[in-house]
Amino acid sequence: QSALTQSRSVSGSPGQSVTISCTGTSSDVGDYKYVSWYQHHPGKAPKLMIYDVTKRPSGVPDRFSGSKSGNTASLTISGLQTEDEADYYCCAYAGGYTFWVFGGGTKLTVL
Amino acid sequence: QVQLQESGPGLVKPSQTLSLTCNVSGGSINSGSHYWSWIRQPAGKGLEWIGRIYSGGYASYSPSLKSRVSISVDTSKNQFSLQLTSVTAADTAVYYCAREFMRGWFDPWGQGNLVTVSS
């Protein structure tokens, strides 16, 4: 059981938009701005897509965006492309005792 | 561009110690503004943060693993290491090393090292 709750799967057609949610608590997602999202193609290194809730690293397309409301963070991917098909994980800071918590991952299928 | 690569045995016997090393290339582990973390993923499950170390040697650990985990750093070799003692089948996972920015994200990650605990 992961500390952050993500839906197991989501799907969309090329060109469409999808949103992946990540629900935590007032002690992690709700308490800090340190929420990040990672794209993981099996067998490869996870890749940072969003940090500090809304920021995109250099090189990440602006089709990827992040937001947060209360204890739930969200990753929205617009203009879906086939190469976006991957697992996506959220991560949040949970204070100086637990440090970091992750979600269980959401499998994105681009139909 | 910083790159990380994990290395170590792929098979460990129950009750023994799991040892992995992460080699950092393309940058110095002494950067001063990063931590160096270990994260794992059991098959079919989510990611779990194990712990981290600063180049000066100060380490922090997940409360759930703290009694069995030790992370060390060798700045002369530009690498850091993980030791997990008294392993069981529940410790079977892909183990990743990653650079942790002090303001809260992990980038980059290594490709991962599958460790199976089995007799």
Side-chain angles (χ1 to χ4, degrees):
Chain A
Q1 187 81 10
S2 298
L4 304 179
T5 301
Q6 297 181 239
S7 51
R8 300 255 323 168
S9 64
V10 66
S11 63
S13 300
Q16 288 186 333
S17 295
V18 296
T19 295
I20 299 170
S21 63
C22 168
T23 301
T25 70
S26 57
S27 298
D28 40 63
V29 175
D31 200 17
Y32 301 97
K33 71 169 187 175
Y34 306 128
V35 175
S36 52
W37 289 89
Y38 302 89
Q39 178 190 66
H40 188 209
H41 290 104
K44 295 193 174 183
K47 178 184 176 184
L48 175 69
M49 304 303 285
I50 295 287
Y51 67 98
D52 283 0
V53 179
T54 61
K55 298 177 182 176
R56 259 189 330 273
S58 174
V60 172
D62 60 6
R63 302 185 294 103
F64 291 84
S65 63
S67 63
K68 187 181 84 164
S69 177
N71 297 337
T72 298
S74 300
L75 173 70
T76 298
I77 309 170
S78 58
L80 274 176
Q81 299 182 2
T82 55
E83 58 262 36
D84 298 335
E85 185 164 295
D87 297 320
Y88 291 84
Y89 294 90
C90 60
C91 176
Y93 184 67
Y97 178 71
T98 305
F99 292 95
W100 298 105
V101 290
F102 284 91
T106 298
K107 181 176 180 56
L108 169 63
T109 301
V110 181
L111 303 168
Chain B
Q1 184 176 354
V2 172
Q3 293 183 310
L4 285 73
Q5 180 66 58
E6 307 87 351
S7 62
L11 182 64
V12 180
K13 289 182 167 50
S15 80
Q16 293 192 341
T17 297
L18 179 161
S19 296
L20 294 172
T21 296
C22 181
N23 186 65
V24 180
S25 60
S28 174
I29 204 167
N30 271 323
S31 67
S33 56
H34 307 107
Y35 296 108
W36 303 92
S37 281
W38 287 99
I39 296 160
R40 70 180 182 178
Q41 183 175 29
K45 296 186 179 181
L47 296 163
E48 178 183 22
W49 182 77
I50 299 170
R52 70 187 188 195
I53 194 163
Y54 185 63
S55 58
Y58 180 76
S60 301
Y61 304 115
S62 166
S64 64
L65 295 169
K66 189 172 185 176
S67 63
R68 298 194 291 129
V69 173
S70 177
I71 298 175
S72 59
V73 63
D74 187 335
T75 54
S76 67
K77 295 182 179 179
N78 221 37
Q79 61 187 26
F80 61 108
S81 299
L82 168 71
Q83 286 201 322
L84 181 65
T85 62
S86 305
V87 297
T88 68
D91 295 309
T92 295
V94 177
Y95 286 77
Y96 296 96
C97 58
R99 180 178 61 176
E100 178 187 334
F101 282 70
M102 288 188 176
R103 286 302 181 184
W105 60 93
F106 300 94
D107 181 57
W109 298 53
Q111 289 222 322
N113 192 119
L114 173 61
V115 178
T116 301
V117 178
S118 174
S119 55

